[in-house]
Amino acid sequence: METQYPLTDFVEFSPAELQQRASDHLALMQRRHTIRSFSDKPVPRQVIEQLIQVAAGAPSGANHQPWHFVAISDPAVKQQIRHEAELQEAGFYSGRAGDEWLNALKPLGTDAHKPYLETAPWLIVIFSQKRGGIDNNDSDTNYYVHESVGIATGFLIQAAHQVGLVSLTHTPKPMSFLSKICGRDNDNDRPYMLLVLGYPAADATVPAHALKKKPFDQICTVVE
Ligand code: IYR
């Protein structure tokens, strides 16, 4: 029989505390914004490693943890990533994306220029893994890989905000150049997302478009 342990670290709050905590958490998370202008202020490696440990605590299919995080602060590697990303993005923004996509991006004001890939103190490249199981055994299939890595990435973004950092989810298209740069050019690892982490520049802005949230009744149906 599989071993089971009693749940000993769950903390229960009173209904009043629960309500207060939910309101406080909502207020905290409503201050999270995707940032595209970073300061070069350093962030200690240990903080980044702890954020990654939070991400790696996300639920995953069969607990196979189908992810690998490459955390980069080396200026030469960041420069290389910026160079390659801008090459890909130049093609994307000058037509490859198609008109509909480019129009959808207009209110965000993004373009092929990605200076923050060098300015920000840390880039985290998140890889998803098709196989590996829990013991890194290549013959074991991983399950719900996309869902699992998506949840872990969400944990990472949320944790960064909670500790006082800002982030940008960057998805250069295609992302295959990241496999080579990160030394994970194999047929198991696939770049999932590039997360830029650090402090906002003093003149950082938030596009008005990003503040437009759908009304609650449009995003939620309650059945009670
Ligand atoms: N990958 C490009 C384009 C881009 C696409 C979407 I969808 C965004 O929400 C934002 C940007 C880039 O990172 O600029």
Side-chain angles (χ1 to χ4, degrees):
M1 251 237 323
E2 75 285 357
T3 309
Q4 300 272 349
Y5 294 113
L7 173 66
T8 54
D9 50 6
F10 176 75
V11 180
E12 184 168 332
F13 298 98
S14 71
E17 280 175 304
L18 175 66
Q19 182 53 70
Q20 188 60 51
R21 290 171 64 85
S23 303
D24 290 349
H25 193 68
L26 175 60
L28 169 72
M29 291 316 297
Q30 282 176 332
R31 292 196 286 105
R32 189 211 63 84
H33 307 291
T34 292
I35 293 301
R36 294 184 178 81
S37 183
F38 283 77
S39 136
D40 60 0
K41 187 177 164 123
V43 173
R45 171 178 169 165
Q46 197 184 350
V47 169
I48 296 301
E49 288 182 347
Q50 286 173 327
L51 296 178
I52 291 171
Q53 281 181 273
V54 171
S60 65
N63 194 28
H64 282 192
Q65 303 157 57
W67 44 59
H68 188 88
F69 301 85
V70 178
I72 301 156
S73 67
D74 182 330
V77 179
K78 289 194 294 182
Q79 186 188 44
Q80 205 184 345
I81 289 178
R82 175 185 177 182
H83 177 73
E84 298 273 350
E86 287 185 334
L87 272 181
Q88 301 299 344
E89 296 288 281
F92 176 90
Y93 282 97
S94 65
R96 186 155 37 80
D99 286 346
E100 187 184 1
W101 197 347
L102 291 178
N103 278 333
L105 293 179
K106 259 195 198 128
L108 289 174
T110 58
D111 57 28
H113 190 52
K114 308 291 183 195
Y116 47 75
L117 293 174
E118 277 188 85
T119 320
W122 289 96
L123 305 179
I124 302 181
V125 186
I126 302 158
F127 288 88
S128 67
Q129 299 176 321
K130 278 189 291 196
R131 312 186 76 81
I134 194 161
D135 296 315
N136 260 328
N137 181 345
D138 264 5
S139 65
D140 292 349
T141 303
N142 290 335
Y143 305 96
Y144 297 104
V145 170
H146 221 75
E147 291 84 347
S148 304
V149 182
I151 297 168
T153 302
F155 271 38
L156 187 48
I157 294 166
Q158 162 125 352
H161 176 67
Q162 291 232 11
V163 304
L165 298 173
V166 296
S167 67
L168 166 67
T169 45
H170 180 42
T171 48
K173 198 171 157 63
M175 280 199 285
S176 38
F177 69 90
L178 291 169
S179 305
K180 289 198 186 74
I181 294 176
C182 296
R184 305 197 72 80
D185 194 12
N186 56 64
D187 59 49
N188 197 30
D189 288 83
R190 213 188 143 102
Y192 180 84
M193 179 125 354
L194 172 53
L195 204 66
V196 185
L197 273 170
Y199 290 95
D203 61 354
T205 57
V206 178
H209 179 75
L211 295 174
K212 243 170 91 180
K213 298 299 176 195
K214 290 185 176 177
F216 188 70
D217 64 0
Q218 207 174 311
I219 58 108
C220 177
T221 303
V222 180
V223 182
E224 64 175 3

